[in-house]
Amino acid sequence: MTDRDIRVLVVEDEAIAAEAHAAYLGRLTGFVHAGTVGDGHSALRALATAVTAGQPIDLVLMDMTLPDLHGLDVSRRMRAAGLTTDIIAITAVRELHIVRGAVAAGIVQYLIKPFTYSTFAQKLVQYRDFRLQLGGLSAMTSQTDVDLAFASLRTPTELPRPKGLSEGTLGAVIEFLKLQTVPVSSSEVMEQLGISRVTARRYLEHLADTGSLERSPRYGTPGRPENEYVWRR
Amino acid sequence: MTDRDIRVLVVEDEAIAAEAHAAYLGRLTGFVHAGTVGDGHSALRALATAVTAGQPIDLVLMDMTLPDLHGLDVSRRMRAAGLTTDIIAITAVRELHIVRGAVAAGIVQYLIKPFTYSTFAQKLVQYRDFRLQLGGLSAMTSQTDVDLAFASLRTPTELPRPKGLSEGTLGAVIEFLKLQTVPVSSSEVMEQLGISRVTARRYLEHLADTGSLERSPRYGTPGRPENEYVWRR
DNA sequence: GCGACCGTGACCAATATGACCGCAACAGTG
DNA sequence: CACTGTTGCGGTCATATTGGTCACGGTCGC
């Protein structure tokens, strides 16, 4: 299913934005810019011809504010036409009230303008991972497997800093972890940074939950296994 | 938006299962069982009349195997009719290949039969939280807010884990077993994962008891027969 | 003085260890 | 050939050990 690149159609009426999206796409591996259209009806036509040409679109980057139709209407018409193409919505802040309908229309991701390249890349990489995970779904039989696949689509990589964590300490912990080449335990973080083990764990766990850290138990010694952490990339 | 109960329509052709779902619903606060239908066309009719009666359905628990239409078709027709009702799909294991289309049809959750009450409750509570979060979204303006709302809908559920077993170790053991093509013994798991034989056996036995693993004794060598385990697909 | 953040210590949980038990293969004896 | 003791290895259990977890209280800044 995903042994080839993901073909992406950009639906955006502003030429500058459309070019930016295409350029962003070019910087990501696994994606191919399959074309750009400026309004809803053109999008529907383009999707149909792509199917008849044997090169169906896999993903649509759809701006919600189009000259003829609303992006949500385009999505609904796509569904009515039987298309299962995935859609990532691009919307301005003032249109947030349509998030609700977007879920029902089968929109997989939501990008709020203006966005940076890293945000854009993050969302598309998540989508790519989701497809990869679904690709191996034939062998999956459990609720957990499906949950995991869905989760890879909709987990924010950047949680806001919860209560009990301070900016300064968090920065220090991150900085320390980035310098390490081998996994470190909470005790080592405690020693090196001069903070208590409990505090060190608070920050390490938060970073692990948000996906910045890889967490794995360390065995071999008697006693409860100790978690060790590595900075991801 | 969510200052009232969530009205739920059960679409299920087997009477026993339908009753079970309704009963489960009754045990959850914030949900109201708005009716039960046994096939796709009845579902579409019921949804339409609910709208004209001024009491629209908020959520459909849709079995995928229906006597007249496939649940996925019913979902598509709902979208084509302009309904933004949310859908939780209920499916058997052998239908897993339709997960892909389900996303595009705007299906928010996936339940695999047979499921326990706790799994059921977990999914519905997640959905309720999602609605609550969206309800307060009018004042929100950031990408993070939308991400959080979406995440509350699709976070991975951790499988129930009896005492004495840790999340990380269980995951490691499962991962290792999935990679094996031939049955492995507890000693082999011990060596490869660097854990003690006793620990390895605790996890293997648990997985075998819950049905994830096939267990059989291995003879031929001197000494007490050794159990060997295979991941069950 | 109030909230946010961190430390402390008691308690809980998960693991390794080692002694002991059970089972099957093996070898020797009748 | 049958029976029996021996041997070797994995399963089982109790215990020690260590880190994780939680609730509370202190301290610092606003």
Side-chain angles (χ1 to χ4, degrees), chain B residues 128-179:
Chain B
R128 194 179 59 195
D129 290 346
F130 167 69
R131 280 178 72 99
L132 281 173
Q133 216 155 355
L134 273 186
L137 200 68
S138 57
M140 301 189 179
T141 51
S142 77
Q143 180 78 51
T144 314
D145 294 324
V146 180
D147 282 350
L148 277 178
F150 272 55
S152 70
L153 189 57
R154 302 256 171 96
T155 48
T157 66
E158 55 183 63
L159 41 132
R161 183 161 48 76
K163 280 208 161 189
L165 273 60
S166 73
E167 160 104 31
T169 309
L170 185 58
V173 171
I174 290 177
E175 189 156 346
F176 174 72
L177 282 164
K178 280 189 175 175
L179 293 175

Coordinates of all heavy atoms in Angstrom, one line a residue, chain B residues 128-179:
Chain B
R128 N -16.6 11.4 24.6 CA -17.2 12.4 25.4 C -16.2 13.5 25.7 O -16.5 14.7 25.6 CB -17.8 11.8 26.7 CG -18.7 12.7 27.4 CD -19.2 12.0 28.7 NE -18.1 11.6 29.5 CZ -18.3 10.8 30.6 NH1 -19.4 10.2 30.8 NH2 -17.2 10.5 31.3
D129 N -15.0 13.1 26.1 CA -14.0 14.1 26.4 C -13.7 15.0 25.1 O -13.5 16.2 25.3 CB -12.7 13.4 26.8 CG -12.9 12.8 28.2 OD1 -13.9 13.1 28.9 OD2 -12.0 12.0 28.6
F130 N -13.7 14.3 24.0 CA -13.4 15.0 22.8 C -14.5 16.1 22.5 O -14.1 17.3 22.2 CB -13.4 14.0 21.6 CG -13.5 14.6 20.2 CD1 -12.4 15.3 19.7 CD2 -14.6 14.5 19.5 CE1 -12.4 15.9 18.5 CE2 -14.6 15.1 18.2 CZ -13.6 15.8 17.7
R131 N -15.7 15.8 22.7 CA -16.8 16.7 22.6 C -16.7 17.9 23.6 O -16.9 19.0 23.2 CB -18.1 16.0 22.7 CG -18.6 15.3 21.5 CD -19.9 14.6 21.7 NE -21.0 15.5 21.7 CZ -21.8 15.7 20.7 NH1 -21.6 15.1 19.6 NH2 -22.8 16.5 20.8
L132 N -16.4 17.5 24.8 CA -16.2 18.5 25.8 C -15.1 19.5 25.5 O -15.3 20.7 25.6 CB -15.9 17.9 27.2 CG -17.1 17.3 27.9 CD1 -16.7 16.5 29.1 CD2 -18.1 18.4 28.3
Q133 N -14.1 19.0 25.0 CA -12.9 19.8 24.6 C -13.3 20.7 23.4 O -12.9 21.9 23.4 CB -11.7 18.9 24.3 CG -10.4 19.6 24.7 CD -9.4 18.5 25.0 OE1 -9.6 17.3 24.9 NE2 -8.2 18.9 25.3
L134 N -14.0 20.2 22.5 CA -14.4 21.0 21.3 C -15.4 22.0 21.8 O -15.5 23.1 21.2 CB -15.0 20.1 20.2 CG -14.0 19.5 19.3 CD1 -14.7 18.8 18.2 CD2 -13.1 20.6 18.7
G135 N -16.2 21.7 22.8 CA -17.2 22.6 23.2 C -16.7 23.9 23.7 O -17.3 25.0 23.5
G136 N -15.5 23.9 24.2 CA -14.9 25.1 24.7 C -13.9 25.7 23.7 O -13.1 26.5 24.0
L137 N -14.0 25.2 22.5 CA -13.0 25.6 21.5 C -13.2 27.0 20.9 O -12.3 27.5 20.2 CB -13.0 24.6 20.4 CG -11.7 24.5 19.5 CD1 -10.6 24.0 20.4 CD2 -11.9 23.6 18.3
S138 N -14.3 27.6 21.2 CA -14.6 28.9 20.5 C -13.5 29.9 20.8 O -13.1 30.7 19.9 CB -15.9 29.4 21.0 OG -15.9 29.6 22.4
A139 N -12.9 29.8 22.0 CA -11.9 30.9 22.4 C -10.5 30.4 22.0 O -9.6 31.2 22.1 CB -12.0 31.1 23.9
M140 N -10.4 29.2 21.4 CA -9.1 28.7 21.2 C -8.6 29.2 19.8 O -9.4 29.2 18.8 CB -9.1 27.2 21.2 CG -9.5 26.7 22.6 SD -9.3 25.0 22.8 CE -9.8 24.8 24.5
T141 N -7.4 29.4 19.7 CA -6.9 29.9 18.4 C -5.6 29.2 17.9 O -5.2 29.4 16.8 CB -6.5 31.4 18.5 OG1 -5.7 31.6 19.6 CG2 -7.8 32.2 18.7
S142 N -5.1 28.3 18.7 CA -3.8 27.8 18.3 C -3.8 26.4 17.8 O -4.8 25.6 18.1 CB -2.8 27.8 19.6 OG -3.2 26.8 20.4
Q143 N -2.8 26.0 17.1 CA -2.6 24.7 16.6 C -2.6 23.7 17.7 O -3.2 22.6 17.6 CB -1.3 24.6 15.9 CG -1.0 23.3 15.2 CD -1.7 23.0 14.0 OE1 -1.7 23.9 13.1 NE2 -2.4 21.9 13.9
T144 N -2.0 24.0 18.8 CA -1.9 23.1 20.0 C -3.3 22.7 20.5 O -3.6 21.6 20.8 CB -1.2 23.8 21.1 OG1 0.0 24.3 20.6 CG2 -0.8 22.7 22.1
D145 N -4.2 23.7 20.5 CA -5.6 23.4 21.0 C -6.3 22.4 20.2 O -6.9 21.5 20.7 CB -6.4 24.7 21.0 CG -5.8 25.7 22.0 OD1 -5.4 25.3 23.1 OD2 -5.9 26.9 21.8
V146 N -6.2 22.6 18.9 CA -6.8 21.6 18.0 C -6.2 20.2 18.1 O -6.8 19.2 18.2 CB -6.7 22.1 16.5 CG1 -7.4 21.1 15.6 CG2 -7.4 23.4 16.4
D147 N -4.9 20.2 18.2 CA -4.1 19.0 18.3 C -4.6 18.3 19.6 O -4.8 17.0 19.6 CB -2.6 19.2 18.4 CG -2.0 19.5 17.1 OD1 -2.7 19.3 16.1 OD2 -0.9 19.9 17.0
L148 N -4.7 19.0 20.7 CA -5.1 18.4 21.9 C -6.5 17.8 21.8 O -6.8 16.7 22.3 CB -5.1 19.4 23.0 CG -3.8 19.7 23.7 CD1 -3.9 20.8 24.7 CD2 -3.2 18.4 24.3
A149 N -7.4 18.5 21.2 CA -8.8 18.0 21.0 C -8.8 16.7 20.2 O -9.4 15.7 20.6 CB -9.7 19.0 20.3
F150 N -8.0 16.7 19.1 CA -7.9 15.5 18.3 C -7.3 14.4 19.0 O -7.7 13.2 18.9 CB -7.1 15.8 17.0 CG -8.0 16.3 15.9 CD1 -8.8 17.4 16.1 CD2 -8.0 15.7 14.7 CE1 -9.6 17.9 15.1 CE2 -8.8 16.2 13.6 CZ -9.6 17.3 13.8
A151 N -6.3 14.7 19.8 CA -5.5 13.7 20.5 C -6.4 13.0 21.6 O -6.3 11.8 21.8 CB -4.3 14.2 21.2
S152 N -7.3 13.7 22.2 CA -8.2 13.1 23.2 C -9.1 12.1 22.5 O -9.7 11.3 23.2 CB -9.0 14.2 23.9 OG -10.0 14.7 23.0
L153 N -9.3 12.2 21.3 CA -10.1 11.2 20.6 C -9.3 10.0 20.2 O -9.9 8.9 20.2 CB -10.6 11.9 19.3 CG -11.7 11.1 18.5 CD1 -12.9 10.9 19.3 CD2 -12.0 12.0 17.2
R154 N -8.1 10.1 20.0 CA -7.3 8.9 19.5 C -6.1 8.6 20.2 O -5.0 8.5 19.6 CB -7.0 9.2 18.0 CG -8.2 9.5 17.2 CD -8.5 8.3 16.3 NE -9.8 8.5 15.6 CZ -9.9 8.9 14.4 NH1 -8.8 9.3 13.7 NH2 -11.1 9.1 13.8
T155 N -6.1 8.5 21.5 CA -4.9 8.1 22.3 C -4.9 6.6 22.4 O -5.9 6.0 22.4 CB -4.9 8.7 23.7 OG1 -6.2 8.5 24.2 CG2 -4.7 10.2 23.6
P156 N -3.7 6.1 22.4 CA -3.6 4.6 22.5 C -4.2 4.2 23.9 O -3.9 4.8 24.9 CB -2.1 4.3 22.4 CG -1.5 5.6 22.8 CD -2.4 6.7 22.4
T157 N -4.9 3.0 23.9 CA -5.3 2.5 25.1 C -4.4 1.4 25.6 O -3.9 0.6 24.8 CB -6.7 1.8 24.9 OG1 -6.5 0.7 24.0 CG2 -7.7 2.8 24.3
E158 N -4.0 1.5 26.8 CA -3.1 0.5 27.3 C -3.9 -0.8 27.7 O -4.9 -0.7 28.4 CB -2.3 1.0 28.4 CG -3.0 1.6 29.6 CD -2.1 2.2 30.6 OE1 -1.4 3.1 30.3 OE2 -2.1 1.6 31.7
L159 N -3.3 -1.9 27.4 CA -4.0 -3.1 27.6 C -4.0 -3.4 29.1 O -3.0 -3.1 29.8 CB -3.4 -4.3 26.8 CG -1.9 -4.3 26.7 CD1 -1.4 -5.7 27.0 CD2 -1.5 -3.9 25.3
P160 N -5.0 -4.0 29.6 CA -5.1 -4.3 31.1 C -3.9 -5.2 31.5 O -3.6 -6.1 30.8 CB -6.4 -5.0 31.2 CG -6.7 -5.6 29.9 CD -6.2 -4.6 28.9
R161 N -3.3 -4.9 32.6 CA -2.1 -5.5 33.0 C -2.2 -5.9 34.4 O -2.3 -5.0 35.3 CB -1.0 -4.5 32.7 CG 0.4 -4.9 32.9 CD 1.3 -3.9 32.2 NE 0.9 -2.5 32.4 CZ 1.2 -1.8 33.5 NH1 1.8 -2.4 34.4 NH2 0.9 -0.5 33.5
P162 N -2.2 -7.2 34.7 CA -2.3 -7.6 36.1 C -1.1 -7.2 36.9 O -0.1 -6.7 36.4 CB -2.4 -9.1 36.1 CG -1.7 -9.5 34.8 CD -2.0 -8.3 33.8
K163 N -1.1 -7.3 38.2 CA 0.0 -6.9 39.1 C 1.2 -7.7 38.8 O 1.1 -8.9 38.5 CB -0.4 -7.1 40.6 CG -1.3 -6.0 41.1 CD -1.1 -5.9 42.6 CE -1.6 -4.5 43.1 NZ -1.2 -4.3 44.5
G164 N 2.3 -7.1 39.0 CA 3.6 -7.8 38.8 C 4.2 -7.7 37.4 O 5.2 -8.1 37.2
L165 N 3.4 -7.1 36.5 CA 3.9 -6.9 35.2 C 4.0 -5.4 34.8 O 3.1 -4.7 35.1 CB 2.9 -7.6 34.2 CG 3.2 -9.1 33.9 CD1 3.0 -9.9 35.2 CD2 2.2 -9.6 32.9
S166 N 5.1 -5.1 34.3 CA 5.3 -3.6 33.9 C 5.1 -3.4 32.5 O 5.3 -4.3 31.6 CB 6.7 -3.2 34.3 OG 7.6 -3.7 33.4
E167 N 4.6 -2.2 32.2 CA 4.3 -1.8 30.8 C 5.5 -2.0 29.9 O 5.4 -2.6 28.8 CB 4.0 -0.3 30.9 CG 4.1 0.4 29.6 CD 2.7 0.7 29.0 OE1 1.8 0.8 29.7 OE2 2.6 0.7 27.7
G168 N 6.7 -1.5 30.3 CA 7.8 -1.6 29.4 C 8.2 -3.0 29.1 O 8.5 -3.3 28.0
T169 N 8.3 -3.8 30.1 CA 8.8 -5.2 29.9 C 7.8 -5.9 29.1 O 8.2 -6.7 28.2 CB 8.9 -5.9 31.3 OG1 9.7 -5.1 32.1 CG2 9.6 -7.2 31.1
L170 N 6.5 -5.8 29.4 CA 5.5 -6.5 28.6 C 5.6 -6.1 27.1 O 5.6 -6.9 26.2 CB 4.1 -6.1 29.1 CG 2.9 -6.8 28.4 CD1 3.1 -8.3 28.6 CD2 1.6 -6.4 29.0
G171 N 5.8 -4.8 26.8 CA 6.0 -4.4 25.5 C 7.2 -5.0 24.8 O 7.2 -5.4 23.7
A172 N 8.3 -5.1 25.6 CA 9.5 -5.6 25.0 C 9.3 -7.1 24.7 O 9.8 -7.6 23.6 CB 10.7 -5.4 26.0
V173 N 8.7 -7.8 25.6 CA 8.5 -9.2 25.3 C 7.6 -9.5 24.1 O 7.9 -10.3 23.2 CB 7.8 -9.9 26.6 CG1 7.4 -11.3 26.3 CG2 8.8 -9.9 27.7
I174 N 6.5 -8.7 24.0 CA 5.6 -8.8 22.9 C 6.4 -8.5 21.6 O 6.3 -9.3 20.6 CB 4.4 -7.9 23.0 CG1 3.5 -8.4 24.2 CG2 3.6 -7.8 21.7 CD1 2.3 -7.5 24.4
E175 N 7.1 -7.5 21.6 CA 7.8 -7.1 20.4 C 8.8 -8.2 20.0 O 8.9 -8.5 18.8 CB 8.6 -5.8 20.7 CG 9.2 -5.2 19.4 CD 9.5 -3.7 19.6 OE1 8.9 -3.2 20.6 OE2 10.2 -3.1 18.9
F176 N 9.5 -8.7 20.9 CA 10.4 -9.8 20.6 C 9.7 -11.0 20.1 O 10.2 -11.6 19.1 CB 11.2 -10.2 21.9 CG 12.1 -11.4 21.8 CD1 13.3 -11.3 21.0 CD2 11.8 -12.6 22.3 CE1 14.1 -12.4 20.9 CE2 12.6 -13.7 22.2 CZ 13.8 -13.6 21.4
L177 N 8.6 -11.4 20.6 CA 7.9 -12.6 20.2 C 7.3 -12.4 18.8 O 7.3 -13.3 18.0 CB 6.8 -12.9 21.2 CG 7.2 -13.6 22.5 CD1 6.2 -13.5 23.5 CD2 7.6 -15.0 22.2
K178 N 6.9 -11.2 18.5 CA 6.4 -11.0 17.2 C 7.4 -11.1 16.1 O 7.1 -11.4 14.9 CB 5.8 -9.5 17.1 CG 4.4 -9.4 17.7 CD 3.8 -8.1 17.4 CE 2.4 -8.0 17.9 NZ 1.8 -6.6 17.7
L179 N 8.7 -10.9 16.4 CA 9.7 -11.1 15.4 C 10.1 -12.5 15.2 O 10.8 -12.8 14.2 CB 10.9 -10.3 15.9 CG 10.8 -8.7 15.9 CD1 12.0 -8.1 16.5 CD2 10.5 -8.2 14.5

